[in-house]
Amino acid sequence: MKDPAEGRLSFTEMFDLPVAVDLRTAARALGIGSTTAYRLIHKDEFPCTVLRVGGRYRIPTNELMRALGIEDRPLYSMDTDGPGSGF
């Protein structure tokens, strides 16, 4: 079975997310599988606010980041250690 943490979002990717994300993206950020995410929603135990829009779930990105302990935007949301960074 695939380890959900392998597909986890990087710190930089977190700051590139739109205002709200789908459940699979939120699960990926949390390092859990989508089945576990659905189970937590149905048990009303998902770690942040979940919006139901039609037949889909949307998670506000600011709530997701707060659940992960990321409260403020960094000064730079780019990877300064990557190629072409000049550092």
Side-chain angles (χ1 to χ4, degrees), residues 16-55:
D16 289 335
L17 292 174
V19 173
V21 296
D22 64 339
L23 185 60
R24 286 180 184 231
T25 302
R28 185 175 161 211
L30 293 165
I32 61 176
S34 57
T35 302
T36 300
Y38 281 107
R39 188 176 323 120
L40 290 172
I41 286 173
H42 290 293
K43 292 169 62 176
D44 201 26
E45 295 179 2
F46 200 76
C48 52
T49 302
V50 178
L51 306 173
R52 181 84 185 228
V53 181

Side-chain angles (χ1 to χ4, degrees), residues 1 3 20 23 55:
M1 182 158 72
D3 180 10
L23 185 60

Side-chain angles (χ1 to χ4, degrees), residues 55-87:
R56 299 177 188 261
Y57 293 108
R58 302 296 291 176
I59 303 355
T61 301
N62 65 335
E63 293 282 333
L64 177 61
M65 293 177 84
R66 194 170 294 123
L68 291 167
I70 304 170
E71 306 251 353
D72 296 316
R73 288 195 165 263
L75 184 57
Y76 301 101
S77 64
M78 296 176 8
D79 182 7
T80 57
D81 294 332
S85 67
F87 294 107

